[in-house]
């Protein structure tokens, strides 16, 4: 049975997509694991990052069709050795209206039930979520064994994290009591900025051991990853250093 891990925070631009994509890549390429990445954001950024293709190439072959048919298997797209993807494009924005107008059943459990027919084929399922506490994020949390809360060092993200963790607890109480909050990952840190340092420390004071020890800094190589992709990228190896440390911690925690 696959371990299902979501990356979330309702604040946009917190490195959810970048981190989930890199984690899926490292687990498949460096650990030899079978990984399914799931793009649950209608922006399709994870789809673009992993495939380096136009997201509209996947029209009507996305996670939204999988959700509607409760069949992940049919819509899996192979990215590279050991790494598959359920893609997303804009029309996933209609997921909530579909859910409330056409769906009869527990609205939080559609993704979990959709993934059931592929759970045995993977070691890990990695879910990237949109910047909102809406139905996609609730479905991701309800389907997960563990969640990573992304913290980007800004006041807005500081304001978001408490409510994100409350939402996780709410989902635990309602539909997924075994879901674990794996931890808070501090990301996009600029070590030269004193306000960044102060926010890193503030989060540590408040949440203590819930914080991952690894702190992700901003690097040019990772900033360019969406342009250059994972294949034939000479600066990738250097860029992944900290991510490898994080993946070690993550595996131990989940
Ligand atoms: N470690 C990093 N170093 C430099 N830039 C990064 C890093 N992680 C993410 N970024 C950049 O920050 C922006 C936001 O990241 P993204 O993964 O899209 O966040 P989210 O999915 O939370 O909106 C993107 O432009 C991305 O390329
Ligand atoms: Mg994103």
């Amino acid at each position: 049975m696959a371990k299902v891990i979501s990356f979330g925070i309702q604040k946009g631009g917190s490195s959810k997509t970048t981190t989930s994509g890199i984690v899926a890549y490292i687990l498949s390429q460096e650990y030899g694991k079978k990984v399914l990445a799931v793009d649950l954001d209608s922006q399709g950024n994870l789809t673009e990052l992993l495939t380096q293709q136009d997201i509209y190439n996947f029209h009507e072959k996305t996670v939204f069709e999988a959700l509607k048919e409760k069949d992940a298997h049919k819509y899996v797209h192979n990215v590279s050795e050991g790494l598959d993807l359920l893609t997303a494009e804009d029309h996933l924005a209609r997921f909530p209206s579909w859910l409330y107008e056409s769906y009869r059943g527990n609205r939080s459990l559609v993704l979990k039930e959709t993934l059931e027919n592929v759970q045995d084929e993977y070691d890990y399922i990695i879910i990237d979520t949109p910047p909102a506490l809406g139905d996609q994020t609730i479905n991701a949390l309800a389907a997960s064994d563990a969640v990573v809360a992304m913290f980007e060092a800004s006041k807005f993200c500081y304001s978001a994290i408490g409510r994100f963790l409350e939402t996780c607890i709410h989902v635990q109480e309602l539909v997924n009591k075994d879901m674990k909050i794996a931890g808070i990952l501090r990301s996009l840190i600029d070590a030269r900025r004193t306000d960044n340092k102060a926010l890193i420390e503030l989060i540590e004071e408040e949440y203590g051991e819930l914080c991952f020890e690894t702190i992700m800094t901003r690097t040019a190589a990772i900033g360019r990853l969406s342009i250059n992709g994972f294949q034939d990228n000479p600066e990738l190896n250097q860029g992944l250093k900290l991510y490898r440390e994080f993946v070690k911690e993550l595996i131990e925690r989940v």
Side-chain angles (χ1 to χ4, degrees), residues 48-105:
E48 198 177 327
L49 177 67
L50 291 178
T51 67
Q52 291 290 296
Q53 283 191 48
D54 188 322
I55 57 172
Y56 304 112
N57 291 352
F58 300 101
H59 183 63
E60 295 189 344
K61 289 178 274 186
T62 71
V63 70
F64 193 24
E65 284 69 40
L67 290 163
K68 287 194 274 197
E69 296 171 33
K70 287 222 183 127
D71 182 356
H73 197 264
K74 191 171 160 191
Y75 293 99
V76 158
H77 170 86
N78 178 249
V79 172
S80 54
E81 174 86 40
L83 178 56
D84 291 343
L85 171 68
L86 284 173
T87 62
E89 55 110 322
D90 295 83
H91 76 321
L92 180 61
R94 293 204 303 269
F95 177 65
S97 53
W98 170 79
L99 206 53
Y100 289 88
E101 283 163 16
S102 312
Y103 185 70
R104 302 276 166 273

Side-chain angles (χ1 to χ4, degrees), residues 11-18 20 39 41 43-46 128-131:
K11 167 79 175 63
S14 303
S15 201
K16 293 179 284 298
T17 300
T18 304
S20 53
D39 190 348
D41 184 356
Q43 295 180 93
N45 293 159
L46 184 67
D128 181 30
T129 63

Side-chain angles (χ1 to χ4, degrees), residues 153-164:
S154 74
K155 173 64 168 55
F156 291 156
C157 207
Y158 179 73
S159 304
I161 192 121
R163 183 57 65 87
F164 182 77

